[in-house]
Amino acid sequence: MAELVMWEKALSVAPGVSMKYWKKLMQRRADQLMQEGNDDVIPYCIATGEVKKLVNFFTSRGQLKEAVLVAQGACEGNIHGPQITSINHAANSDNDNIEKYCGMLHRVCKELAEWYFQDGRAVLAACCHLAVDNAELAMASLIRGNELELAVCVGTVLGESASKATHYVLELLARKYMTTATCFPSVAYRNLAARLLQMIPDNEILLAKLCAFYPGSSAEINDLHEKCGLPTLEECKELAESAHAGGEIFPAVKYYLLSPEPEKALPIGITYVKEQLSSPDWTVDSVYHILDLLSYIRTDRLILPKCSEERNELLILCGYIGALLAIGRQYSSIVPALYEYTSQLLKRREVAVPLQIEQLSVELEAWRACTFSLKVADNALYNPPSEAQKREYSQLLSRMSEEPIKGLEGPDYVTGSNLPSHSDVQISCFTGLRIQGPAFFLEDGKSAISLNDALMWAKVNPFSPLGTGIRLNPF
């Protein structure tokens, strides 16, 4: 009867032969319906307990919500196959299957979360991760979706399991209130930024950055120093001179930035970074902490004409290290822009840094060749990376020792990233293409980039793509 495509009749009499035969026949019919893409396969798979097969069927068709529903039902023990073996053996098998189904549920929830995230719905992506108790990826979705306030609330509730991500969010949120136009439009914003940073353990350096960036009067700055538990301006100057005399680079840079003459920190820190870059075995970690600290110098001091040489060198070094960080964090859309930004600054400004435009071009081409090799390997016009490019890319990767928080690798997608542009079309100064989703305007009021690119740029390079020395604040 099965051979004559009389499946209903065949299945109705198959139990008369044996349950084992009936199950085998049900599986044959299910396989046939799957090949046809027929939804009638669903009851067949449920009746025989073929959870994995049904989940894979839904997943292959992009029906991730249905796949999650089936996997969840199986985890709760609501989907059973026919009992063919003994009761004891069946009970043990069910326990083993439930463990297997839980792993399947985690996998499918992760796929659904990624679908939501790339559709610009970071909150729903986080909900999918939380449904299977994956706190780290839930926090990462909110951070990459720029849902910072919500991430702080969720992280506070989750507690220790999300502490690392919560501390990172608090730092980003504090940066949000270090606004770029007038720095701090109110004392309330300044104090809020300080309170956010004080919620982070080991916050001395973070508070020092905040105080270094604050441009108020001496009395206001000293008041902020006191609230943050830091020495006064004059005391910081003395500590900086003492540290510099003792050859302590990081404390010297920190205290000079907190002193009445923060520009004195620039030559000390930049000289150290250039020395590190001149050695063959330098890593990003060996220079990033100094560059990150230097980037918080008061903007009004950084843009002074007497600081032009140090400013140009700082922008170039931050651009180059930012490109390497972007590679490590898989911010693919801004890597070419960061290399181009660094190369243009090297061309147009007189600086003495151990970087060559030709070397930057070699690195960028090696990254392109090796990163996109898997994506286009089936293309007839595809040229695989050369051995020299593989070696160059391997050397780039060896310089990156940063360990990002789990789940933070990959591009940012804010809410509305996939929405079409409205009538006021904006063109990205990175790609020359129309910006889809929210746009972010740079300080000249004309140039625009996507908000996603702006967020990723600010996380690896604090300075504006226009090379003005203004800090970027898209948070």
Side-chain angles (χ1 to χ4, degrees):
M1 284 185 284
E3 297 299 329
L4 295 172
V5 200
M6 300 170 65
W7 284 102
E8 287 77 10
K9 291 183 179 180
L11 290 169
S12 65
V13 299
V17 180
S18 70
M19 288 299 294
K20 189 174 181 179
Y21 178 70
W22 172 82
K23 182 177 180 180
K24 184 177 179 181
L25 204 59
M26 288 281 283
Q27 289 170 338
R28 278 180 56 192
R29 177 58 172 159
D31 289 341
Q32 183 188 61
L33 289 170
M34 278 190 178
Q35 289 177 358
E36 297 171 1
N38 194 327
D39 284 340
D40 290 343
V41 73
I42 298 170
Y44 287 89
C45 289
I46 291 176
T48 55
E50 294 283 347
V51 175
K52 183 178 180 181
K53 188 179 289 185
L54 185 55
V55 167
N56 290 340
F57 173 72
F58 281 133
T59 303
S60 66
R61 289 162 39 125
Q63 295 176 278
L64 296 174
K65 293 179 186 177
E66 289 81 356
V68 168
L69 184 63
V70 171
Q72 180 66 34
C75 283
E76 294 173 356
N78 295 324
I79 299 179
H80 302 280
Q83 187 175 317
I84 297 173
T85 56
S86 66
I87 294 176
N88 290 336
H89 186 272
N92 292 333
S93 177
D94 282 347
N95 290 334
D96 292 341
N97 282 340
I98 286 175
E99 289 184 15
K100 181 175 68 176
Y101 297 152
C102 286
M104 187 185 305
L105 178 62
H106 277 73
R107 175 179 62 82
V108 180
C109 276
K110 189 175 181 180
E111 288 185 37
L112 180 58
E114 187 62 23
W115 182 84
Y116 276 131
F117 183 74
Q118 292 191 14
D119 196 42
R121 294 189 275 179
V123 176
L124 286 176
C127 290
C128 291
H129 290 306
L130 287 175
V132 290
D133 297 325
N134 197 330
E136 289 180 313
L137 291 184
M139 289 293 289
S141 294
L142 293 174
I143 293 169
R144 291 171 59 199
N146 202 38
E147 301 287 347
L148 302 183
E149 290 85 356
L150 181 57
V152 169
C153 296
V154 172
T156 303
V157 172
L158 292 173
E160 187 61 32
S161 62
S163 59
K164 191 174 181 182
T166 305
H167 299 158
Y168 179 59
V169 179
L170 287 167
E171 185 180 347
L172 293 179
L173 203 52
R175 284 179 64 180
K176 177 179 180 176
Y177 294 105
M178 297 166 68
T179 54
T180 52
T182 56
C183 192
F184 292 93
S186 71
V187 176
Y189 275 15
R190 180 200 75 180
N191 292 340
L192 176 57
R195 285 200 301 274
L196 290 169
L197 294 176
Q198 285 167 345
M199 294 170 65
I200 305 173
D202 302 322
N203 55 21
E204 182 188 353
I205 300 302
L206 297 174
L207 290 170
K209 293 174 183 176
L210 170 67
C211 294
F213 192 59
Y214 184 61
S217 65
S218 295
E220 290 173 323
I221 293 174
N222 280 329
D223 178 60
L224 181 59
H225 281 211
E226 183 180 355
K227 287 178 178 174
C228 294
L230 294 169
T232 65
L233 285 167
E234 290 302 324
E235 289 171 340
C236 286
K237 181 179 179 181
E238 294 174 7
L239 289 168
E241 291 170 349
S242 175
H244 190 207
E248 300 176 78
I249 302 300
F250 191 82
V253 170
K254 182 180 77 171
Y255 286 117
Y256 266 127
L257 288 174
L258 294 168
S259 75
E261 300 174 292
E263 59 273 15
K264 287 188 175 180
L266 290 172
I268 298 171
I270 290 172
T271 299
Y272 170 82
V273 171
K274 290 195 288 189
E275 288 173 355
Q276 290 292 311
L277 293 182
S278 298
S279 66
D281 55 349
W282 67 273
T283 63
V284 170
D285 278 359
S286 67
V287 297
Y288 176 70
H289 64 297
I290 290 286
L291 286 175
D292 183 47
L293 185 58
L294 283 173
S295 72
Y296 282 89
I297 185 172
R298 286 166 47 180
T299 303
D300 60 329
R301 296 301 182 94
L302 182 62
I303 62 176
L304 289 173
K306 68 176 183 179
C307 295
S308 60
E309 183 179 348
E310 288 88 356
R311 178 177 67 251
N312 292 335
E313 291 182 346
L314 179 62
L315 296 182
I316 289 168
L317 293 171
C318 284
Y320 177 61
I321 297 303
L324 298 184
L325 287 170
I327 289 173
R329 298 183 190 183
Q330 300 173 32
Y331 294 169
S332 301
S333 64
I334 64 167
V335 170
L338 281 160
Y339 269 105
E340 178 65 19
Y341 163 87
T342 308
S343 298
Q344 289 299 323
L345 289 177
L346 280 170
K347 279 181 187 176
R348 297 175 183 176
R349 305 185 184 183
E350 294 184 9
V351 291
V353 293
L355 296 174
Q356 301 296 326
I357 295 174
E358 295 77 13
Q359 178 60 24
L360 297 183
S361 298
V362 169
E363 290 181 8
L364 179 58
E365 289 308 312
W367 169 78
R368 278 179 169 146
C370 295
T371 302
F372 296 110
S373 59
L374 295 176
K375 298 180 182 179
V376 295
D378 296 331
N379 192 319
L381 301 177
Y382 165 66
N383 291 319
S386 65
E387 289 302 317
Q389 286 175 326
K390 289 179 181 178
R391 284 195 302 272
E392 189 66 45
Y393 185 60
S394 177
Q395 186 175 17
L396 274 181
L397 295 180
S398 70
R399 299 199 186 284
M400 301 172 206
S401 50
E402 181 193 44
E403 293 184 10
I405 298 167
K406 182 180 178 182
L408 288 186
E409 307 94 336
D412 289 352
Y413 286 101
V414 299
T415 300
S417 292
N418 281 350
L419 292 177
S421 303
H422 51 72
S423 57
D424 184 16
V425 175
Q426 302 299 330
I427 303 299
S428 171
C429 61
F430 283 177
T431 63
L433 302 176
R434 173 185 292 192
I435 294 173
Q436 185 176 4
F440 180 81
F441 286 90
L442 302 178
E443 64 270 19
D444 63 356
K446 302 174 185 176
S447 305
I449 55 179
S450 73
L451 182 55
N452 292 330
D453 285 347
L455 287 165
M456 290 185 284
W457 182 288
K459 288 174 183 176
V460 296
N461 178 16
F463 294 110
S464 164
L466 298 182
T468 57
I470 303 294
R471 281 181 69 92
L472 198 64
N473 192 352
F475 304 105

